[in-house]
Amino acid sequence: MPASKGYAALSAQSPLAPFTFSRREPGPSEIAVEILYCGVCHSDLHMAHNEWGNAIYPLVPGHEIVGRVIAAGSTVTRFKVGGIAAIGVIVDSCRLCAPCKRGEEHYCDQGATLTYAAKDRVDGSITMGGYSNNYVVDARFAHTVPANLNLAAVAPLLCAGITTYSPLRHWKVGPGMKVGIVGLGGLGHMALKFAHSFGARVVQFTTNLRKREDALKLGADEVVLSTDAAAMQAHMKSFDFILDAAAAPHSLDPYTALLKQDATMCLVGLPEKFPVVNVGNLIFKRAALSGSMIGGMPETQQMLDYCGAQNIVSEVEVIPIQKINEAYERMLRQDVKYRFVIDMSSLK
Ligand SMILES: [Zn+2]
Ligand SMILES: [Zn+2]
């Protein structure tokens, strides 16, 4: 393998800075990719600052990876040198438990191996993410990319895309359903595109009406200011499904109040502090509050293929890696439409 270089955080307090390291030669079932683009996920920021307490330093973030295959092991059939491959949030799992056998590797009983800041199951090293020039991964945990899609705008599909696609599919969102999306950030804007594409009537909730025009353009049928009590009241008990993609701390009760009988609200953003919920909003309607994370390998490929067929990608702002610390500051101010993607050719 060529030497690996990227940007790493050396501690919870330090900004990301250039860092060199090494990766193993790909084994028979593995591929090596030269990274072209890597999306910037909110969890990268949480991890770099050790806000969830599980960071391992030096920490190279990045789990929305699109690259060109530079080597493929002898048993690999899905990828050829020179082709494009995508890598998401997990890069391995036990492969033997019931969830793994079902293709739900992200819910592996033994815990899936995260793309960065996790112990590698093959060589025991600490995984280093996609803010770097290359990656080595088992082909089972890599995906093919439809040729018609813009590669920079594909990168966020690997986390923001599958995180919203999976629950919308699981709860069978489609024509005849009224679906609410809470939050219009990296995840929310993908949820909006997918829910609209699946044929549902989509209501976007926001705390900022300046996002109204954008939400309508992205596929919302209606935009509701969540702080407007009368506007919220007008939607009482009318939703079949609500996907909550807001990362900032907020009360769930105003939204569970809007669920119909037997309807579900699903959370995909992991807040630092867990909210207390009004269980009456659930009990009196047999409503459900649920959660979901990314998706398994088969479903992630299915999502990418669907995006190819429907021409769906993320809205992105492409940056050179030298602007990553500035991008983090802008994300904290919610000053991004809707995902930063690093052009890895900027890494010298
Ligand atoms: Zn992510
Ligand atoms: Zn497993």
Side-chain angles (χ1 to χ4, degrees):
M1 280 298 289
S4 297
K5 47 193 180 173
Y7 266 50
L10 297 181
S11 76
Q13 290 76 36
S14 61
L16 297 187
F19 175 69
T20 54
F21 56 105
S22 61
R23 298 194 192 269
R24 67 171 172 273
E25 294 297 324
S29 65
E30 293 182 321
I31 58 170
V33 301
E34 176 197 358
I35 299 175
L36 301 174
Y37 296 102
C38 185
V40 181
C41 177
H42 246 280
S43 50
D44 299 346
L45 209 157
H46 292 301
M47 286 293 286
H49 297 158
N50 198 22
E51 283 162 27
W52 293 330
N54 58 340
I56 302 170
Y57 300 98
L59 184 144
V60 178
H63 59 204
E64 294 181 338
I65 299 169
V66 176
R68 179 166 285 118
V69 179
I70 54 171
S74 55
T75 66
V76 175
T77 53
R78 286 167 62 226
F79 299 94
K80 297 250 177 317
V81 171
I84 299 294
I87 305 163
V89 177
I90 64 171
V91 289
D92 209 348
S93 68
C94 87
R95 309 182 192 191
L96 299 170
C97 70
C100 282
K101 285 192 168 151
R102 280 199 299 271
E104 294 189 309
E105 299 89 345
H106 54 312
Y107 297 133
C108 174
D109 287 341
Q110 309 292 321
T113 305
L114 299 175
T115 304
Y116 64 85
K119 192 172 173 200
D120 188 284
R121 280 179 151 88
V122 177
D123 63 16
S125 66
I126 299 303
T127 55
M128 299 285 179
Y131 294 10
S132 61
N133 60 335
N134 54 29
Y135 207 96
V136 173
V137 67
D138 192 290
R140 172 174 172 166
F141 291 84
H143 312 281
T144 59
V145 176
N148 58 314
L149 299 179
N150 175 304
L151 294 182
V154 163
L157 299 177
L158 277 301
C159 175
I162 187 60
T163 297
T164 51
Y165 179 94
S166 182
L168 291 169
R169 283 300 197 206
H170 183 79
W171 277 280
K172 300 185 167 53
V173 163
M177 290 176 78
K178 181 174 168 184
V179 171
I181 308 294
V182 182
L184 186 58
L187 272 75
H189 94 287
M190 287 311 307
L192 183 49
K193 286 189 180 204
F194 284 134
H196 171 73
S197 167
F198 296 167
R201 174 174 169 73
V202 191
V203 178
Q204 176 71 48
F205 295 100
T206 180
T207 52
N208 181 351
L209 265 193
R210 273 177 304 174
K211 291 187 173 177
R212 188 169 182 280
E213 287 311 310
D214 270 15
L216 294 173
K217 252 186 263 166
L218 292 166
D221 295 289
E222 193 178 341
V223 180
V224 172
L225 186 64
S226 57
T227 50
D228 179 342
M232 293 290 277
Q233 181 68 35
H235 288 276
M236 203 55 77
K237 292 190 184 178
S238 68
F239 281 88
D240 297 286
F241 184 72
I242 296 176
L243 187 70
D244 187 339
H250 60 286
S251 171
L252 307 184
D253 303 338
Y255 302 106
T256 52
L258 306 187
L259 293 172
K260 274 183 187 169
Q261 185 198 312
D262 292 319
T264 295
M265 171 157 155
C266 177
L267 312 178
V268 289
L270 188 63
E272 256 178 272
K273 244 182 110 183
F274 296 160
V276 171
V277 300
N278 176 348
V279 295
N281 283 358
L282 307 175
I283 288 173
F284 298 122
K285 294 184 294 195
R286 198 167 52 195
L289 184 60
S290 179
S292 179
M293 69 175 270
I294 53 172
M297 297 306 102
E299 190 174 44
T300 304
Q301 185 65 61
Q302 184 197 104
M303 181 262 322
L304 286 165
D305 295 344
Y306 180 83
C307 287
Q310 302 292 323
N311 237 318
I312 293 174
V313 285
S314 177
E315 303 297 307
V316 300
E317 179 178 337
V318 178
I319 57 164
I321 196 154
Q322 291 78 11
K323 293 236 166 139
I324 187 62
N325 293 304
E326 192 184 306
Y328 276 9
E329 282 164 33
R330 284 182 52 196
M331 281 162 72
L332 290 172
R333 298 195 300 265
Q334 299 190 356
D335 174 22
V336 54
K337 284 183 176 180
Y338 283 88
R339 201 66 144 181
F340 288 115
V341 171
I342 306 164
D343 178 352
M344 220 48 77
S345 69
S346 61
L347 186 65
K348 292 284 184 281

